[in-house]
């Protein structure tokens, strides 16, 4: 899913969370989980391209599936599961629930809207990516660019 759509979805979900909680920190936590999660793409880009601040090149690499290895450490269903277990057992409060809701909606939208390009939803398991050596092409249906 393209960043502008993640932004709109995240602001919408975060606003709903804020209207429930009346706590701006819950809005911010949801926003961080839902939008700023994409910072992990920068790690992969940096690993392949080195220091290169050309935004157009960054988007071209990802939109045209030219990235070779994709770890995207925060795009992980295991991370969500671990956080849900922590929330269940330790009850750290609504702030953490808001963060996990933001993170979850981001990954759910990725699963839905990236499905034409990604062979399997297992891609969103960090372990599945690790077992394939983080080789992105292993999960692509074809060379079809992301829309």
């Amino acid at each position: 899913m393209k960043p502008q759509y993640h932004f709109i979805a995240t602001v919408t979900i975060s606003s709903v969370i804020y209207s429930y909680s009346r706590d701006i920190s819950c809005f911010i936590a949801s926003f961080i989980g839902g939008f700023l999660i994409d910072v992990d793409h920068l790690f992969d880009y940096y690993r392949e391209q080195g220091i290169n601040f050309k935004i157009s090149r960054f988007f071209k690499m990802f939109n045209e599936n030219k990235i070779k290895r994709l770890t995207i450490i925060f795009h992980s269903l295991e991370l969500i599961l671990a956080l849900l277990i922590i929330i269940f057992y330790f009850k750290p409060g609504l702030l953490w629930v808001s963060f996990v809701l933001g993170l979850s909606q981001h990954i759910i939208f990725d699963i839905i809207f990236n499905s034409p390009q990604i062979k399997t939803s297992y891609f969103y398991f960090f372990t599945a990516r690790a077992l394939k050596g983080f080789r992105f092409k292993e999960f692509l249906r074809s060379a079809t660019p992301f829309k």
Side-chain angles (χ1 to χ4, degrees):
M1 190 162 149
K2 288 194 173 186
Q4 61 267 32
Y5 301 122
H6 273 304
F7 181 82
I8 293 166
T10 300
V11 167
T12 303
I13 298 293
S14 298
S15 296
V16 169
I17 289 169
Y18 174 77
S19 71
Y20 171 78
S21 68
R22 297 288 181 214
D23 185 348
I24 193 67
S25 62
C26 289
F27 177 93
I28 293 168
S30 174
F31 186 82
I32 289 169
F35 187 69
L36 297 181
I37 176 185
D38 276 335
V39 73
D40 59 6
H41 289 287
L42 292 173
F43 301 133
D44 292 323
Y45 177 75
Y46 174 75
R47 187 190 60 252
E48 284 193 23
Q49 296 294 308
I51 297 175
N52 180 334
F53 296 111
K54 291 184 180 174
I55 304 253
S56 61
R57 185 177 183 147
F58 171 82
F59 284 109
K60 182 176 182 164
M61 278 196 72
F62 285 98
N63 289 336
E64 295 179 6
N65 301 326
K66 293 188 180 199
I67 193 100
K68 291 180 184 119
R69 298 207 185 288
L70 198 59
T71 57
I72 50 176
I73 57 175
F74 301 133
H75 287 71
S76 164
L77 291 170
E78 295 98 328
L79 175 62
I80 292 174
L81 179 61
L83 290 171
L84 287 173
I85 290 169
I86 290 168
I87 288 168
F88 180 77
Y89 283 107
F90 297 106
K91 305 194 183 342
L94 196 53
L95 184 74
W96 283 96
V97 172
S98 301
F99 175 75
V100 172
L101 286 171
L103 191 64
S104 299
Q105 64 88 14
H106 182 104
I107 292 178
I108 289 168
F109 285 134
D110 272 356
I111 290 169
I112 293 167
F113 291 104
N114 293 341
S115 64
Q117 291 82 25
I118 302 295
K119 287 180 195 174
T120 174
S121 295
Y122 290 124
F123 172 74
Y124 293 96
F125 284 96
F126 184 84
T127 355
R129 293 192 302 273
L131 289 171
K132 296 284 188 176
F134 299 106
R135 290 181 302 274
F136 188 40
K137 69 178 180 179
E138 298 281 334
F139 293 95
L140 288 175
R141 287 188 194 277
S142 68
T144 307
F146 279 85
K147 299 192 185 230

